[in-house]
Each structure stands twice: as C-alpha cells, then as structure tokens.
Amino acid sequence: MTEMSIDQVVAQLRTLGVRPGGVLLVHTSFRAVRPIEGGPLGLIEALRSALGEQGTLVMPTMTDGETVFDPASTPTCDMGITAELFWRQPGVRRSTHPGGSFAAVGPMAERICAPQPLSPPHGPDSPVGRVHDLGGQVLLLGVGHSENTTLHLAEAIAGVPYSVEHPCVVEVDGAVRTVMIPETDHCCRGFTLLDAPLRARALQREGLVGHAQARLCDSRDIVATAVELLASAPLVFLCAPEKHCEECDTARASVGSR
C-alpha cells in the first residue's frame, strides 16, 4: 500500500465530518490505518490538524490495574501504539482513574480529565461522559463499536441490570491495597448491533482514513440510540447463553445481585 501524507489524512478526516474546534474521542488500530507519513505520531498530528487549535483530542489510556497507577509513567494496556504515544506527548493531560484513564489535549482537556469516581469508570462523571456533555464526536478508526467505550456510558445511563467487579490496585493515605471496582463489563461484541440503527438513521458517517475503515458519530447519538435499545431489551448487548461466552455469562449471572 502507498504511504499517505499527513495532509491527505487531514483531508480524509474533514471529508468524513470531523468538526474543527470540536471534541473528538478516538479509538484506533494503527495497524489498520498504516502506512502513513510519520507513523502513529503522524496520525496524531493529522487528528490534531483536522481539529485545529480550538479542538480537543481524546484517547483511552486504560491500564491493567495491577500496580499503583501513575498518570505520568504507567503504560497503557491493549490500547494500541497510537494511544500509548499520545499520552506521552508534551501538553497532553491524563486522567487519574487507576484502571480507566483517558488522555486529552486542547482547550477542554482539563475538564475532560478532571477527577472522577472509581465506579462506574465510564459513567456520566467520567472522561467519556464529559465528551458526551460537550457534544463531542466519536471516531472509530480501524475498529468497530466493540471498542466503543461510549456504549458503556449508555449502559450506565440506562441502568442495565448487570455489573461485574474487577480488582484494581490503589494507594490510599500511603498504603497500597486492592479494591474491587464494579463496571458494566462483558465481551462487548454485542455493541456491533449499533451499526444498523445508526446507519438507518443516517447518524453514522463511514469512509476511509488512511487505509482503515472509519466510523464517525456524535456521542449523543450513540448514547441515545443505545439507551433506546436497552430500554426494550436490557441484555441486548450480551451474547446469548448458547454462545457460551464466559464474559457475557458472568455479566448475566450478576443480574439480580446488585
């Protein structure tokens, strides 16, 4: 494949509908995007250029929770090379959640990365929730809705009946201990169901960015559509029992225990 220039990627992002001066939450697989000029840092440059100086770029920087979290040094876990390099760049802020941190740069970065409760990690008072409040967009770049943390926000708002606790190491008053953090966790493959209603309502723009398929939606449209689905079928995003999905079976088993 031919290497794409940063300017070409910026043009693709703007054609897709990225709003200059807006807030943009990005989930990406650079493996799908490449090759582009400058590698992952070139992609970050393109995203920031498409947003402009008044725009705010946000990415997930979640960790494994197995050690005390330091936003200045703890590496991400399974977030990809772009997110891992993004939070390390000058001027980028990182939130302090010990497992579910996000990073942001731009005028809204401080607000988005402000302290949040431990649970739910992606609730209304979290970076994902603040992107939603600010009328931000969500870009899924080389990944699908199964990677879309904004759908966990929808689950929190809808009050889904399942919740799974995960251990996370924290430091309290100088003492290191493990706490259990409840969250609406499952395999997330069911989140791909959102493609159909978003497309049917013309709420999802799709196209190429770099060499990757991209989806762009307003955070509020994602949440409103998902909450509507959950209102009629609260377990819609869980794999059916006959699929024998361990993560979804665990979530289903938690129903009634909250």
Side-chain angles (χ1 to χ4, degrees):
M1 292 185 288
T2 303
E3 181 178 271
M4 300 193 68
S5 71
I6 291 172
D7 287 344
Q8 286 175 308
V9 177
V10 171
Q12 289 177 314
L13 289 164
R14 289 179 174 161
T15 298
L16 190 65
V18 170
R19 291 193 290 263
V23 174
L24 183 67
L25 169 56
V26 178
H27 295 273
T28 185
S29 166
F30 186 72
R31 183 175 299 174
V33 177
R34 66 184 183 185
I36 66 169
E37 176 188 358
L41 290 177
L43 175 58
I44 293 168
E45 182 179 341
L47 290 163
R48 295 189 66 177
S49 295
L51 286 165
E53 291 185 2
Q54 296 306 307
T56 301
L57 177 61
V58 187
M59 291 189 194
T61 57
M62 300 168 206
T63 55
D64 57 20
E66 295 179 357
T67 58
V68 174
F69 176 66
D70 179 358
S73 64
T74 304
T76 62
C77 181
D78 298 329
M79 294 292 102
I81 186 61
T82 307
E84 175 63 24
L85 290 174
F86 174 61
W87 74 263
R88 297 177 181 274
Q89 300 310 299
V92 176
R93 298 183 65 91
R94 193 178 186 190
S95 67
T96 57
H97 192 282
S101 67
F102 282 72
V105 65
M108 295 294 110
E110 184 173 359
R111 177 174 171 181
I112 289 167
C113 295
Q116 68 179 98
L118 287 179
S119 180
H122 310 307
D125 190 14
S126 73
V128 170
R130 292 162 194 154
V131 169
H132 176 268
D133 289 346
L134 290 165
Q137 296 175 297
V138 176
L139 175 63
L140 304 173
L141 185 47
V143 298
H145 285 289
S146 58
E147 309 300 324
N148 187 354
T149 51
T150 297
L151 286 165
H152 287 305
L153 170 63
E155 291 177 313
I157 291 173
V160 295
Y162 46 87
S163 179
V164 179
E165 292 187 335
H166 292 285
C168 193
V169 176
V170 299
E171 184 174 353
V172 180
D173 297 327
V176 175
R177 60 190 180 95
T178 299
V179 299
M180 300 301 291
I181 299 179
E183 58 181 297
T184 55
D185 191 33
H186 46 92
C187 80
C188 299
R189 289 191 292 269
F191 283 164
T192 59
L193 293 172
L194 213 67
D195 273 319
L198 288 172
R199 285 169 177 159
R201 300 172 186 184
L203 298 177
Q204 179 166 282
R205 301 188 64 168
E206 300 182 39
L208 283 177
V209 173
H211 297 277
Q213 289 293 327
R215 295 167 171 84
L216 180 71
C217 308
D218 283 3
S219 175
R220 292 174 181 174
D221 289 336
I222 291 170
V223 170
T225 303
V227 167
E228 182 180 324
L229 289 175
L230 290 164
S232 58
L235 305 184
V236 67
F237 293 137
L238 302 185
C239 293
E242 58 268 23
K243 297 293 185 181
H244 302 294
C245 171
E246 183 177 354
E247 292 169 279
C248 290
D249 287 347
T250 299
R252 185 176 287 102
S254 74
V255 175
S257 64
R258 297 180 65 181

